Amino acid sequence: MQNPLAAAVEALIDGEHLAAVDRYLVQTLQRLVPQATPVALLAAALARRAIDHGHVCLDCDQFDPALVAVLAEVPFWPSEPTAVLADLAASPLVGDGAHPSPLVLVGQRLYLFRYWQYETQLAAAIRLRAGADLPTEGAAEGLTRLLAGTSMSASAAQRQAIVMAATRRLAVISGGPGTGKTTIVLYLLALIQELAKASGRDFARILLLAPTGKAAARLAQSVQERLAALPVDEAVRAAVPREAATIHRALGYQYRTPTTFRHGPDNPLPAEVVIVDEASMVDLALMAKLFGAVAPEARLVLLGDKDQLASVEAGSLMGDLCLAAGLEASGEGVPPSRLAGSVVQLEESFRFAAEEGIGALVRQLKAGDSDALLALLDGQAPDAVLHPATLPLAANGPLNEAITEGYRSYLAATSPDEALARLHDFRVLCAHRRGPVGVRAVNELCVRVLAEAGWLRPEGEWYKGRPLMITANNYALKLFNGDLGVVWPDPAEGTLRAWFIDQDSGRLRALPPGRLPAHETAFAMTVHKSQGSEFTRVAVVLPEEVSPVLTRELLYTAVSRARKAVALFGAPEILRQAVAQRVVRRSGLRQRLTAGE
């Protein structure tokens, strides 16, 4: 017969409030600290599980209602949060962070010790950098000269962001699609090197980074494509970096100790400027290590979008930084901090008209106005449409037509490099991986529909035109989670190969399919996996029922992947409920950044 603690753990695992690994965590802690109470042991498991859901800590005062209902059936679990906190405060499992302990309790927030360390270290690093000026003169005047020599323009917010990034040790720039973040990076790179030349200093060593190989490749390509238009001399142009790397690669990922890197406080990155694109996707642990690896006198520039999905792992950094800077109301009574001088929010989109199509769709999503959103999607704008939900998927005529038309140009390509380029013309995005409208089911639908249309001959696992997404990092092959490739015949031999763009050289490279790390078919992908990508057109397949995954942030991220047109497939009531549901990530970072100010 199970004891009450074991029974409670198993019930929570059955209800998916805990994972199977939490069973062993509780058993291990119980063996190491026999005097620990069942409340503290169960709270430890809940704190670990919170990490899986993207939270940095467990907020003992704000449990999910479904979890509250389950805990109410646990005989030893107190009915009042104050009693839970009192039990934790007296537990030998819990410390205040001064010395290593399994758990750390700060107010009502319960941390695993490692995540308390990450948050503490990151908050200290941000506070040290926030508002710190660099001895850089003439930045505003230098930018004016740069802009005067080109036909490209910059808004007041873009100018502010560029000058801030050139003169502060920390700059955080948040903006949605088409708000000019790439333009900011380009002018910032040129301005920094122009100022170095004008002052007689050596050109700055600059690192361009992104969280994924895909995002790094896009950043490098954007710089390369626009570099020639800069009104600078050849020496300055040559000093602008043309390559970007993943954060893991720059920090020096170590195979045998994957949670540590070569670069850190004792061995900082060899750069005076570190620019990180798609910073919204970076989790707390990696960001803490990045801050620790940037030299104290160097500039660190973070670019991202606070409104899109946060990192898959724990943390919501861009949102926390913008809240701490006072750019939006948090509802938590947290005052703005000195970080306000290091954060800029870009609002104006140069890609979409604000009152129609995708631009209006994005604006209504950010505002949370589902009535206006549904009115916009009723067919008035051809580039933003909501189609009714129809199951089974094979019976959804508009979706099948979108798949056939969307992938026509890709499958009509005459070479692997053309196919890779055309792969960004269209993509189907899903909220879930599994289920009747999940990625697996929609990928199967795409293969069937395209085969029936004569565009595919899916004979076996490997066939011409199969798009691939890498799902596990392989540093030896230089293939990383999220990288996209295509299966295509070798033009010289006719043998099927998996083709990718090499991140270092930008050249096409081919691998035998059998050598690939873990991967999957990518006609459809989750919205999470689409972050850092852009497609000409996007089809978004909504689930039948609202789930914790289907949120306003997910819809915003999905819609904003499209450059020209988006079609949503789902029921209006599901869309309405999704708009009302927000992502909430528990952490203490905002409070730490404003403490004592």
Side-chain angles (χ1 to χ4, degrees):
M1 183 175 178
Q2 287 182 321
N3 62 48
L5 174 60
V9 169
E10 294 305 320
L12 286 163
I13 291 173
D14 290 342
E16 298 186 349
H17 298 291
L18 292 179
V21 69
D22 296 315
R23 177 190 301 124
Y24 306 107
L25 171 67
V26 169
Q27 292 171 358
T28 299
L29 291 176
Q30 193 171 32
R31 185 172 63 253
L32 293 174
V33 188
Q35 64 271 39
T37 66
V39 170
L41 288 164
L42 186 54
L46 293 172
R48 196 226 58 83
R49 182 58 168 164
I51 302 297
D52 289 349
H53 291 288
H55 305 294
V56 177
C57 58
L58 178 72
D59 190 329
C60 297
D61 201 30
Q62 296 189 37
F63 287 147
D64 178 86
L67 179 58
V68 171
V70 174
L71 291 174
E73 302 298 320
V74 176
F76 60 80
W77 190 263
S79 59
E80 293 297 326
T82 52
V84 175
L85 292 171
D87 190 297
L88 290 170
S91 174
L93 289 174
V94 180
D96 61 2
H99 304 284
S101 58
L103 303 170
V104 175
L105 185 65
V106 180
Q108 81 277 12
R109 299 189 299 274
L110 184 67
Y111 295 82
L112 300 184
F113 184 78
R114 178 184 295 178
Y115 282 86
W116 177 86
Q117 279 188 312
Y118 289 148
E119 186 178 277
T120 301
Q121 292 166 0
L122 181 57
I126 292 171
R127 287 170 63 91
L128 188 65
R129 288 182 173 276
D133 291 327
L134 287 163
T136 304
E137 297 180 358
E141 296 80 0
L143 177 59
T144 299
R145 287 194 302 272
L146 274 174
L147 291 172
T150 178
S151 59
M152 293 187 288
S153 61
S155 67
Q158 286 176 304
R159 288 171 178 259
Q160 178 190 357
I162 296 166
V163 173
M164 178 188 70
T167 58
R168 295 291 177 93
R169 286 193 172 89
L170 175 65
V172 180
I173 302 166
S174 175
T179 53
K181 295 192 293 293
T182 300
T183 298
I184 287 172
V185 170
L186 192 68
Y187 278 121
L188 175 62
L189 293 172
L191 178 60
I192 288 171
Q193 303 299 36
E194 283 261 281
L195 293 173
K197 181 184 177 185
S199 66
R201 302 192 309 269
D202 292 337
F203 287 121
R205 291 172 296 175
I206 304 174
L207 281 178
L208 297 179
L209 305 180
T212 67
K214 176 175 57 179
R218 274 192 57 217
L219 175 60
Q221 182 182 9
S222 298
V223 172
Q224 292 165 12
E225 288 176 346
R226 304 176 67 180
L227 189 56
L230 285 175
V232 295
D233 64 33
E234 288 308 311
V236 171
R237 199 186 319 277
V240 171
R242 290 164 171 77
E243 302 298 331
T246 64
I247 298 172
H248 281 84
R249 180 181 173 191
L251 292 180
Y253 178 87
Q254 302 187 88
Y255 300 92
R256 295 183 179 179
T257 54
T259 60
T260 62
F261 297 92
R262 287 198 307 274
H263 291 289
D266 297 328
N267 180 28
L269 288 164
E272 287 86 36
V273 183
V274 178
I275 299 174
V276 184
D277 197 17
E278 298 290 350
S280 318
M281 299 168 61
V282 184
D283 62 89
L284 175 83
L286 184 58
M287 191 63 82
K289 291 171 183 177
L290 175 64
F291 266 77
V294 177
E297 67 276 9
R299 301 175 181 88
L300 177 58
V301 182
L302 307 178
L303 299 106
D305 183 354
K306 68 177 178 62
D307 295 306
Q308 77 172 29
L309 283 167
S311 60
V312 175
E313 305 297 333
S316 180
L317 187 76
M318 289 297 290
D320 285 343
L321 290 176
C322 290
L323 283 170
L327 295 189
E328 59 179 312
S330 68
E332 299 179 9
V334 179
S337 68
R338 59 181 173 178
L339 189 64
S342 295
V343 180
V344 169
Q345 172 68 38
L346 306 173
E347 298 288 357
E348 181 183 359
S349 175
F350 301 95
R351 183 183 303 166
F352 306 123
E355 302 302 324
E356 59 186 31
I358 296 176
L361 200 61
V362 165
R363 184 167 57 83
Q364 301 301 350
L365 275 170
K366 289 171 68 173
D369 191 337
S370 56
D371 290 334
L373 186 69
L374 288 168
L376 182 69
L377 291 166
D378 68 358
Q380 296 178 7
D383 57 344
V385 180
L386 175 66
H387 294 284
T390 305
L391 287 177
L393 287 177
N396 193 317
L399 176 58
N400 296 345
E401 182 180 345
I403 291 168
T404 303
E405 291 302 313
Y407 284 115
R408 185 187 300 275
S409 63
Y410 160 64
L411 294 171
T414 58
S415 64
D417 53 339
E418 182 186 356
L420 278 167
R422 292 293 185 185
L423 190 54
H424 292 278
D425 287 354
F426 175 76
R427 194 57 47 91
V428 184
L429 303 181
C430 306
H432 297 151
R433 288 191 55 80
R434 298 177 178 82
V437 291
V439 166
R440 293 184 179 181
V442 175
N443 266 315
E444 291 173 0
L445 173 72
C446 290
V447 172
R448 184 166 62 251
V449 168
L450 293 169
E452 290 173 354
W455 288 107
L456 278 184
R457 296 180 61 186
E459 299 169 351
E461 181 182 4
W462 303 103
Y463 50 87
K464 176 184 176 182
R466 181 189 174 199
L468 301 171
M469 174 179 284
I470 300 300
T471 58
N473 294 337
N474 186 307
Y475 286 81
L477 291 176
K478 294 193 294 185
L479 289 175
F480 302 96
N481 189 6
D483 285 355
L484 290 173
V486 299
V487 177
W488 210 266
D490 187 315
E493 303 174 0
T495 308
L496 287 177
R497 292 284 186 263
W499 299 83
F500 298 86
I501 298 295
D502 184 81
Q503 290 181 26
D504 294 331
S505 66
R507 298 190 184 94
L508 196 66
R509 66 186 182 118
L511 293 168
R515 289 191 62 198
L516 296 182
H519 58 276
E520 60 190 20
T521 302
F523 285 112
M525 63 173 62
T526 61
V527 177
H528 273 93
K529 286 288 189 182
S530 75
Q531 292 184 92
S533 297
E534 289 183 352
F535 307 100
T536 305
R537 291 178 292 153
V538 162
V540 183
V541 180
L542 302 177
E544 300 173 87
E545 299 177 352
V546 172
S547 72
V549 171
L550 189 60
T551 62
R552 185 188 307 177
E553 289 80 4
L554 181 134
L555 287 176
Y556 169 84
T557 303
V559 167
S560 61
R561 297 310 92 195
R563 290 191 295 267
K564 292 187 177 179
V566 60
L568 292 95
F569 297 82
E573 58 271 21
I574 296 297
L575 190 65
R576 188 184 296 277
Q577 292 179 60
V579 172
Q581 187 164 257
R582 303 297 305 272
V583 171
V584 177
R585 292 282 179 92
R586 305 295 181 192
S587 84
L589 186 60
R590 296 192 297 274
Q591 290 82 354
R592 289 180 186 273
L593 292 176
T594 56
E597 296 190 6

